[in-house]
Amino acid sequence: RQASFTGNLLYQTDIKNEDHMIVTGLSFTYDNLRQQLDSTRLFTSLQLPGIFAEYTYKHGERISFIAAMRLDYSKQTSLQYAPRVHARFDLDKKQNTTLRLSAGRGYRVADILNENQFLLASSRTFVYQGNPITEAAWNYGFSLHQKYKLKKREGSFTVDFFRTDFTAQNTIDIENENGITTLYPKQGKSFSNSLMAEWNMEIAKGWDIKLAYKWEDVRMTYHHLLMQKALHFIHRGLFSTSYKIPNNKAQFDLIMPIYGKSRMPNSFAESTINKFSNPYILLNFQILTKFKIGEFFAGVENMA
């Protein structure tokens, strides 16, 4: 059972001209949440007042910079601060090459039970070793986006890299031989590195192709050992193509997600830290046809 309220009061003004802008304000969040799982009862009552300010600077159409800070306080979170900066640079006059940089701190009040319902499918027992804590992390990285034309066909390429270092985190520990899930505040290093590359191209009229790849190195400390996060895919890929016939009365789509290996948890006595699942591929295909009086759709999903 949940009752929530969120309110914001904003004030925005320019400084001398539109190239310099400031936004300040107040916020208030109220959240009352009651949960029960078997004999376990959880009650969360959050009253979170906050204040924030944001400064935006624009230099023509090619450069923009944002610096922001917010402060929030409650009994559960104590005093939390969240600074953040963003910068965007168009590296050419036609704005075909765009570089974005960002860095900052974020935090949240975790809803441990709802966020881990998938673990109940294996009949695991939840054991709480201390109350859930407010999670906090520093995040920083960049994004580079390139648009181009090849034989009058438009295309784009994007690459992102971000790093997250957790300073406070709730650990969901399924590394137990007896199958019990334990929940406790992190007891060592916890971080993630994420790299994503995406290519889009119109290779013929009405025919588009997308290729994407994502690498995520997510590591947490379990039982004093820094390990890959269990059940988390290290490598993922995507191939997607779409074709529309010239009169636009039919469209064909093929989507092929690719899932790499993931580390299996040490939930059983014969398990080892280096045990990984096998990679696999899925196929999704669909056809959409249009008529004067309606549309017809047919498709197949999750073909291995």
Side-chain angles (χ1 to χ4, degrees), residues 6-10 23-29 48-54 67-73 79-84 105-107:
T6 301
N8 289 286
L9 179 64
L10 303 177
V23 178
T24 62
L26 304 173
S27 66
F28 180 78
T29 298
L48 190 68
I51 184 172
F52 57 90
E54 177 182 286
M69 169 65 84
R70 69 172 296 121
L71 297 172
D72 296 282
Y73 178 81
L79 181 63
Q80 293 287 344
Y81 63 97
R84 177 157 289 275
R105 182 180 187 270
Y107 64 93

Side-chain angles (χ1 to χ4, degrees), residues 60-286:
E61 298 293 330
R62 297 174 56 183
I63 298 176
S64 63
F65 174 82
I66 299 174
M69 169 65 84
R70 69 172 296 121
L71 297 172
D72 296 282
Y73 178 81
S74 73
K75 293 181 180 179
Q76 291 85 352
T77 66
S78 65
L79 181 63
Q80 293 287 344
Y81 63 97
R84 177 157 289 275
V85 293
H86 296 272
R88 181 183 63 86
F89 304 92
D90 289 321
L91 303 182
D92 64 325
K93 294 182 179 180
K94 295 183 179 181
Q95 298 181 332
N96 289 325
T97 306
T98 302
L99 175 65
R100 293 180 173 87
L101 307 172
S102 67
R105 182 180 187 270
Y107 64 93
R108 71 187 189 102
V109 178
D111 185 358
I112 296 296
L113 189 56
N114 276 328
E115 293 170 4
N116 296 279
Q117 287 190 32
F118 70 97
L119 294 174
L120 301 178
S122 54
S123 300
R124 292 178 178 271
T125 300
F126 279 59
V127 176
Y128 293 83
Q129 298 179 349
N131 295 324
I133 63 173
T134 301
E135 298 185 331
W138 289 92
N139 175 265
Y140 35 90
F142 74 91
S143 173
L144 180 65
H145 180 70
Q146 176 68 57
K147 296 187 292 185
Y148 65 90
K149 282 188 176 182
L150 181 63
K151 295 183 179 180
K152 298 183 179 181
R153 301 294 180 187
E154 293 185 352
S156 66
F157 177 78
T158 304
V159 60
D160 299 334
F161 178 80
F162 286 91
R163 162 93 178 191
T164 302
D165 288 302
F166 291 92
T167 56
Q169 187 181 29
N170 294 286
T171 299
I172 314 300
D173 188 353
I174 55 177
E175 312 286 335
N176 302 294
E177 294 181 357
N178 53 13
I180 291 177
T181 297
T182 52
L183 302 95
Y184 52 85
K186 82 178 188 75
Q187 299 176 351
K189 288 185 178 181
S190 179
F191 64 85
S192 71
N193 296 308
S194 176
L195 172 68
M196 189 184 75
E198 181 180 307
W199 174 70
N200 296 272
M201 182 69 189
E202 182 187 21
I203 61 175
K205 187 175 182 180
W207 187 8
D208 296 318
I209 286 182
K210 175 189 288 187
L211 294 174
Y213 168 76
K214 189 171 187 179
W215 168 74
E216 286 188 316
D217 179 26
V218 182
R219 297 178 184 263
M220 300 182 68
T221 299
Y222 301 102
H223 305 280
H224 307 292
L225 293 175
L226 183 63
M227 298 184 288
Q228 290 279 352
K229 184 178 180 180
L231 306 179
H232 190 88
F233 296 108
I234 302 173
H235 305 280
R236 280 183 287 176
L238 176 68
F239 170 77
S240 174
T241 182
S242 176
Y243 177 70
K244 295 180 181 179
I245 62 176
N247 58 12
N248 203 28
K249 290 186 177 182
Q251 180 175 335
F252 304 86
D253 293 283
L254 175 67
I255 302 173
M256 185 174 69
I258 304 167
Y259 298 92
K261 65 180 182 179
S262 62
R263 187 180 67 81
M264 305 300 292
N266 299 314
S267 298
F268 305 98
E270 66 272 15
S271 297
T272 62
I273 294 177
N274 295 320
K275 186 176 181 180
F276 289 87
S277 65
N278 295 322
Y280 64 94
I281 297 174
L282 297 178
L283 291 175
N284 304 310
F285 179 72
Q286 61 188 37

